[in-house]
Amino acid sequence: MKIQQLRYIVEIANQNLNVTEAANVLYTSQPGISKQVRLLEDELGLEIFERNGKNLKAITPAGKKIIAIARELLVKTQAIRAIAEEYTQPDHGVLRIATTNTQARYMLPAVVEKFSKKYPNVSLHVHQGSPNQLSDALLSGEVDFAIVTEAQYLFNDVILLPCYKWNRSIVVKSDHPLAKLKHVTIEDLGKYPLVTYTFGFTGQSDLDYAFNSAGILPNIVFTATDADVIKTYVKLGFGVGIIASMAYTEADSDLVAIDASHLFKSSMTQIAFKRSMFLRNYMYDFINDFSPHLTRQNVEKAESLQDNNAIQKLFEKVELEEK
């Protein structure tokens, strides 16, 4: 059994059984991958994949268990390399982060700037996507950290560190009737077409909860994953925008922002990483730069706990910053 063979079966699973795509990702040939998978199956005496002729059609029950263990072994081999690099090249390396568009656009720039000045020889890569894409990227080993704001149930099997709370603002054009109200209610908001995030991005379920509690069916006419796109369509007159408050800046002076924290529950941004991962010094520093209460000592305490409920209790007494 070879590490490369384990890498092949994991990547085939990552690529939804498409061996050609797996070969492209791994910069090798399709016949080479197929041959090594067959050799591994022959060695184990069972099939990892069900086949229909030359095509793979499913993962066998035994194959699912083997691939799950192979993922962990690959993470551990990465950890071994990371430990070696921590001693041989402590200020060199790669940090790969997956997050949503809003976090990447409004929260990460200042953190990345500070981090890059401290670690100029660490290559930083930021991937953007939906909660499902963030989870897949983290579990497959494509990224080291996922910065998540929604669908946190997807991250039950990894470590979740609470970073900060955030809420929403209503954005309208200056001549909109809502701009003239001193106190906007959920009933007021329900009178107008809404432009907001695509379901599953940055706390959409909290919006649903607020409207459902008031017995109001919101008229959502346009959704997007990017706050800048939402603001653009508000300016075009499509409706009233609901965005993360952090996404309203001085550049948006042609829109009026109305605080909506009294209408919606606060959401939590968290950093996720795999339990078996070895965190390098610069990774601890990045986490601390992103969220000051997440000191190395606190992160190491969290790593020692068995589940995320215990981790959440660890930080219950911490006064999380509201952004």
Side-chain angles (χ1 to χ4, degrees), residues 22-77:
N24 291 337
V25 170
L26 296 171
Y27 300 102
T28 187
S29 67
Q30 179 181 339
I33 287 185
S34 298
K35 178 182 177 181
Q36 289 302 316
V37 170
R38 279 295 192 186
L39 288 173
L40 178 59
E41 290 177 324
D42 289 344
E43 180 183 346
L44 296 175
L46 53 77
E47 288 191 337
I48 297 172
F49 300 102
E50 294 179 16
R51 292 169 173 81
N52 183 8
K54 293 184 178 181
N55 298 320
L56 305 183
K57 67 175 186 177
I59 303 173
T60 65
K64 291 178 181 178
K65 294 179 180 179
I66 290 168
I67 290 171
I69 294 172
R71 289 189 192 279
E72 292 305 313
L73 288 174
L74 292 177
V75 171
K76 291 184 184 299
T77 60

Side-chain angles (χ1 to χ4, degrees), residues 95-141:
L95 179 55
R96 304 161 303 167
I97 299 165
T99 189
T100 62
N101 295 330
T102 298
Q103 296 291 321
R105 169 70 176 84
Y106 296 101
M107 297 307 300
L108 277 181
V111 178
V112 168
E113 182 180 23
K114 180 180 178 181
F115 179 85
S116 296
K117 287 179 179 177
K118 187 174 183 179
Y119 294 102
N121 294 314
V122 173
S123 179
L124 193 58
H125 304 274
V126 178
H127 306 255
Q128 299 172 55
S130 68
N132 277 303
Q133 290 170 330
L134 304 188
S135 176
D136 290 345
L138 184 65
L139 295 178
S140 69

Side-chain angles (χ1 to χ4, degrees), residues 220-234:
I220 298 176
V221 296
F222 185 90
T223 63
T225 62
D226 190 326
D228 289 338
V229 174
I230 293 171
K231 289 183 287 187
T232 295
Y233 281 85
V234 171

Side-chain angles (χ1 to χ4, degrees), residues 59-320:
I59 303 173
T60 65
K64 291 178 181 178
K65 294 179 180 179
I66 290 168
I67 290 171
I69 294 172
R71 289 189 192 279
E72 292 305 313
L73 288 174
L74 292 177
V75 171
K76 291 184 184 299
T77 60
Q78 291 174 352
I80 290 171
R81 293 192 182 96
I83 291 169
E85 290 169 355
E86 188 65 33
Y87 285 90
T88 58
Q89 294 182 305
D91 296 331
H92 290 67
V94 177
L95 179 55
R96 304 161 303 167
I97 299 165
T99 189
T100 62
N101 295 330
T102 298
Q103 296 291 321
R105 169 70 176 84
Y106 296 101
M107 297 307 300
L108 277 181
V111 178
V112 168
E113 182 180 23
K114 180 180 178 181
F115 179 85
S116 296
K117 287 179 179 177
K118 187 174 183 179
Y119 294 102
N121 294 314
V122 173
S123 179
L124 193 58
H125 304 274
V126 178
H127 306 255
Q128 299 172 55
S130 68
N132 277 303
Q133 290 170 330
L134 304 188
S135 176
D136 290 345
L138 184 65
L139 295 178
S140 69
E142 183 182 344
V143 299
D144 305 302
F145 295 153
I147 300 174
V148 301
T149 57
E150 176 71 350
Q152 290 166 356
Y153 63 89
L154 294 171
F155 301 87
N156 286 337
D157 296 330
V158 302
I159 291 176
L160 274 175
L161 301 175
C163 299
Y164 56 82
K165 296 178 181 178
W166 59 272
N167 214 305
R168 296 153 191 80
S169 290
I170 300 162
V171 288
V172 294
K173 295 197 291 185
S174 59
D175 60 351
H176 194 279
L178 289 180
K180 299 175 176 60
L181 297 180
K182 291 184 177 181
H183 182 79
V184 176
T185 65
I186 199 74
E187 288 78 12
D188 293 326
L189 198 55
K191 297 174 183 177
Y192 301 98
L194 304 178
V195 182
T196 189
Y197 295 107
T198 303
F199 182 79
F201 277 77
T202 56
Q204 179 71 28
S205 57
D206 292 329
L207 269 68
D208 293 335
Y209 177 83
F211 281 106
N212 290 339
S213 297
I216 296 171
L217 181 66
N219 178 22
I220 298 176
V221 296
F222 185 90
T223 63
T225 62
D226 190 326
D228 289 338
V229 174
I230 293 171
K231 289 183 287 187
T232 295
Y233 281 85
V234 171
K235 294 173 187 177
L236 290 174
F238 271 60
V240 173
I242 303 175
I243 61 172
S245 295
M246 67 186 79
Y248 182 83
T249 68
E250 293 179 357
D252 302 313
S253 57
D254 50 345
L255 293 176
V256 174
I258 304 167
D259 177 49
S261 59
H262 61 292
L263 300 179
F264 307 111
K265 295 190 300 181
S266 293
S267 295
M268 180 76 74
T269 292
Q270 304 196 68
I271 288 183
F273 59 88
K274 298 175 82 169
R275 290 187 174 276
S276 52
M277 180 182 178
F278 173 78
L279 294 185
R280 297 189 56 182
N281 286 332
Y282 62 74
M283 293 179 174
Y284 284 110
D285 280 353
F286 178 88
I287 293 173
N288 188 225
D289 288 343
F290 188 74
S291 191
H293 71 273
L294 293 176
T295 61
R296 179 167 186 155
Q297 182 180 17
N298 283 339
V299 174
E300 288 177 341
K301 283 182 183 177
E303 289 179 279
S304 69
L305 299 175
Q306 295 301 311
D307 58 54
N308 285 321
N309 287 331
I311 292 174
Q312 301 307 310
K313 288 181 180 178
L314 175 66
F315 293 102
E316 276 181 357
K317 295 181 180 180
V318 176
E319 194 68 32
L320 295 182

